[in-house]
């Protein structure tokens, strides 16, 4: 049993140390870099940010970020509300469809906008005979709005599902109309979630440098300045200071998220009627038709976007007319194909690491209740809160010199992928632990099993579905990641998502479309397999319970 205790402590030490090295140390490195120049304390980087040129960038950033985040939140709430008032089968279909629309590489929307509505766009020039300029702040707002709707709608759908339906039933029983109930019960109950979604979108859009670079034209924002400074300057102090400005809205987003989760948890005593799955909340027909119209338009845009990407791999629309060709597929460089396979290996490895470490972190924090582990758990959630560019810059600052020299290797990318998603694995495991009866573990310990034997013999086998879910989430996020990893690649370690970004940035839209389709095909296939396996497991568990 001594060896089991030693291994148990070793696992605990490894989890804590990994969070300190791959989460806290990079974050601290960015903060330190923004305040020191050649070893001397300075505030010059923050003073530079307040120059006239950068104040214009800040104004531009705030304008497009607030506008796009507000529009996304508004349309997402409409879609989530439609899901909320629909029948269970429609809810399931809508959620599945929203999840599938999230499985796409970044900048696909930008590519579709240019090829459909650009100066030689298939629709604007080929069909309507117009030469439209899609570049500028309007293009940034449109793309950021469209890109965030699926994610935000799923979050708000979960918020609405957590509303205690007895409050709605009581409102209706007291004579309130559906619209009065919506105004006085539903919206106030969902408000913390709405604020949470807005601030999360605000953080994501503020840190988005790719969309403004591709579609912004001469309209520059703060994130693009940080990106260009990273590429062109030997000093990382200024981009570090710019990245630090993105932290306050990220903290605000996390605060409202936690507040929403806490409120949802306290609003229900766990009884059956507290679930919106058991009650049909009806809105007037004309209101529901308006909601449906927004849903139809959104999914029509999604179909148009993905259809255009698939079509663009085998066609040329540069003249405004559709001409089929296999040139883009045949001309895809061998190096880009190698990057694609490399992405799959990196993403799969990161998925395994994130799943295992996340489950262990949940086990030691919530199952064992070890002192101080909640602080470690909070630290592990930071990469998911802060912008990806910040986390990527942190890895550059932390792992570019001895004794932790990882830059230029595959491991700096893999660890960045994995620890960016640790919080997702941790939260999924926390939810699953609440469903596992502690009596099973107590019985095993009464029979002489050690903590390590309980962990690997009982708990981990019971968390197979959680491992699979966490693996798929990390794999998908890693296959489509750009914001952090773009600063970490080197010759021989480039990945498909960054290759695609570079192709679009250089105007190689056909090659970019081929790369996008390859990424989409892999991520969708892996997700469909996972959904099939999870549904099969749930079906078997249901049959066991019935018998």
């Amino acid at each position: 049993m001594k060896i089991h205790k030693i291994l148990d402590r070793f696992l605990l030490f490894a989890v804590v140390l990994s969070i300190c090295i791959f989460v806290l140390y990079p974050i601290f490195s960015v903060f330190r870099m923004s305040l020191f120049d050649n070893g001397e304390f300075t505030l010059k980087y923050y003073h530079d940010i307040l120059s006239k040129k950068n104040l214009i960038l800040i104004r531009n950033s705030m304008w497009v970020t607030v506008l796009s985040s507000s529009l996304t939140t508004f349309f997402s709430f409409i879609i989530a509300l439609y899901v909320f008032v629909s029948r269970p089968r429609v809810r399931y279909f809508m959620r599945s469809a929203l999840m599938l629309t999230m499985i796409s590489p970044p900048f696909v929307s930008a590519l579709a906008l240019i090829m459909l509505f650009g100066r030689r766009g298939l629709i604007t020039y080929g069909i309507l005979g117009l030469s439209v300029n899609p570049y500028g702040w309007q293009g940034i707002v449109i793309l950021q709005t469209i890109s965030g709707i699926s994610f935000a709608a799923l979050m708000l759908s979960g918020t609405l599902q957590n509303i205690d339906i007895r409050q709605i039933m009581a409102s209706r029983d007291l004579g309130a109309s559906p619209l009065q109930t919506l105004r006085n019960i539903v919206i106030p109950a969902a408000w913390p979630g709405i604020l949470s979604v807005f601030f999360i979108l605000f953080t994501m859009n503020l840190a988005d440098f790719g969309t403004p670079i591709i579609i912004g034209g001469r309209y520059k924002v703060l994130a693009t300045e940080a990106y260009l400074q990273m590429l062109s300057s030997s000093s990382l102090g200024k981009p570090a200071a710019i990245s630090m400005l993105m932290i306050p809205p990220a903290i605000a987003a996390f605060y409202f998220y936690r507040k929403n989760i806490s409120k949802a948890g306290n609003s229900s005593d766990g009884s059956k009627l507290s679930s919106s799955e058991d009650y049909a909340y009806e809105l007037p027909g004309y209101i529901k038709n308006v909601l449906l119209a927004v849903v139809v338009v959104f999914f029509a845009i999604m179909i148009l976007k993905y259809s255009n990407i698939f079509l663009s791999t085998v066609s040329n629309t540069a003249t405004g007319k559709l001409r089929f060709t296999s040139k883009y597929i045949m001309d895809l460089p061998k190096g880009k194909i190698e990057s694609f396979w490399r992405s799959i290996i990196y993403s799969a490895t990161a998925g395994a690491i994130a799943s295992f470490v996340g489950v262990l972190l949940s086990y030691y924090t919530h199952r064992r209740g070890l002192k101080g582990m909640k602080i470690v758990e909070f630290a592990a959630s930071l990469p998911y809160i802060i912008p990806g560019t910040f986390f990527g810059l942190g890895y550059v600052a932390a792992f570019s010199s001895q004794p932790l020299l990882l830059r230029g290797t595959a491991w700096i990318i893999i660890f960045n992928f994995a620890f960016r998603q640790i919080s997702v694995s941790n939260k999924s495991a926390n939810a699953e632990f609440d469903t596992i009866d502690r009596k099973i573990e107590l019985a095993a310990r009464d029979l002489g099993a050690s903590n390590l034997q309980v962990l690997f013999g009982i708990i981990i086998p019971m968390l197979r579905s959680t491992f699979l879910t966490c693996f798929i989430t990390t794999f998908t996020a890693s296959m489509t990641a750009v914001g952090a990893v773009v600063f970490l690649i080197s010759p021989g370690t480039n990945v498909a998502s960054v290759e695609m970004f570079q192709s679009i940035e250089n105007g190689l839209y056909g090659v970019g479309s081929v790369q996008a389709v390859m990424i989409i095909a892999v991520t969708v296939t892996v997700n469909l397999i996972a959904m099939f396996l999870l549904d099969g497991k749930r079906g078997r568990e249901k049959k066991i319970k019935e018998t």
Side-chain angles (χ1 to χ4, degrees), residues 197-461:
V197 165
F198 173 82
F199 277 102
I200 290 173
L201 292 169
F202 184 91
T203 304
M204 293 168 57
N205 293 334
L206 187 64
D208 179 18
F209 64 88
T211 301
I213 286 177
I214 294 172
I215 206 71
R218 296 180 179 179
Y219 194 87
K220 306 298 182 183
V221 297
L222 201 60
T224 59
E225 180 68 13
Y227 170 72
L228 296 174
Q229 286 283 334
M230 275 284 298
L231 297 182
S232 61
S233 176
S234 58
S235 173
L236 300 180
K238 186 174 180 180
I242 294 175
S243 298
M244 290 300 300
L245 294 180
M246 302 175 187
I247 298 303
I251 294 174
F254 181 73
Y255 167 76
F256 283 111
Y257 169 77
R258 292 295 297 267
K259 183 178 180 180
N260 173 55
I261 295 299
S262 175
K263 182 175 180 179
N266 293 331
S267 64
S268 167
D269 61 4
S271 60
K272 186 177 180 181
L273 287 178
S274 66
S275 171
S276 61
E277 298 289 351
D278 305 302
Y279 178 81
Y281 169 56
E282 293 290 340
L283 285 173
Y286 70 94
I287 296 293
K288 195 169 182 178
N289 288 336
V290 172
L291 302 181
L292 177 61
V294 174
V295 170
V296 170
V297 170
F298 170 71
F299 281 108
I301 292 173
M302 292 296 102
I303 292 172
L304 186 64
K305 179 179 79 171
Y306 287 106
S307 299
N308 172 76
I309 296 303
F310 282 95
L311 184 63
S312 298
T313 62
V314 293
S315 66
N316 185 347
T317 59
T319 61
K321 296 182 180 179
L322 186 64
R323 295 181 180 178
F324 289 97
T325 178
S326 61
K327 173 180 172 59
Y328 304 128
I329 298 176
M330 300 300 295
D331 289 352
L332 189 68
K334 182 181 178 181
K336 296 186 185 297
I337 298 176
E338 292 175 353
S339 297
F340 174 74
W341 292 113
R342 194 180 298 122
S343 290
I344 296 176
I345 295 172
Y346 290 179
S347 300
T349 306
I353 294 172
S355 302
F356 187 66
V357 175
V359 168
L360 286 180
L361 177 61
S362 179
Y363 168 71
Y364 286 115
T365 304
H366 293 277
R367 212 57 169 180
R368 295 274 292 275
L370 299 183
K371 188 176 181 181
M373 286 303 295
K374 286 192 176 182
I375 298 175
V376 178
E377 184 182 53
F378 173 76
S381 69
L382 293 177
Y384 201 73
I385 299 169
I386 61 180
T389 50
F390 183 102
F391 201 52
L393 180 60
Y395 269 55
V396 173
F399 304 121
S400 294
S401 60
Q402 297 291 355
L404 297 173
L405 178 59
L406 294 177
R407 194 173 184 185
T409 70
W411 287 108
I412 192 172
I413 298 174
I414 292 171
F415 286 138
N416 188 275
F417 282 161
F419 285 90
R420 174 83 169 149
Q421 300 296 323
I422 282 291
S423 180
V424 177
S425 302
N426 173 239
K427 296 298 185 294
S428 299
N430 288 346
E432 191 66 23
F433 271 126
D434 290 338
T435 67
I436 298 178
D437 193 344
R438 287 180 178 269
K439 294 177 183 178
I440 302 175
E441 301 165 50
L442 294 175
R445 289 194 178 94
D446 288 342
L447 292 172
S450 65
N451 287 327
L452 205 64
Q453 289 173 322
V454 171
L455 173 63
F456 286 98
I458 297 176
I459 292 177
I460 288 182

Side-chain angles (χ1 to χ4, degrees), residues 31-45:
F31 179 68
R32 180 187 61 188
M33 188 180 297
S34 71
L35 292 175
F36 287 90
D37 181 27
N38 295 323
E40 296 184 1
F41 179 81
T42 180
L43 294 176
K44 72 175 186 178
Y45 300 122

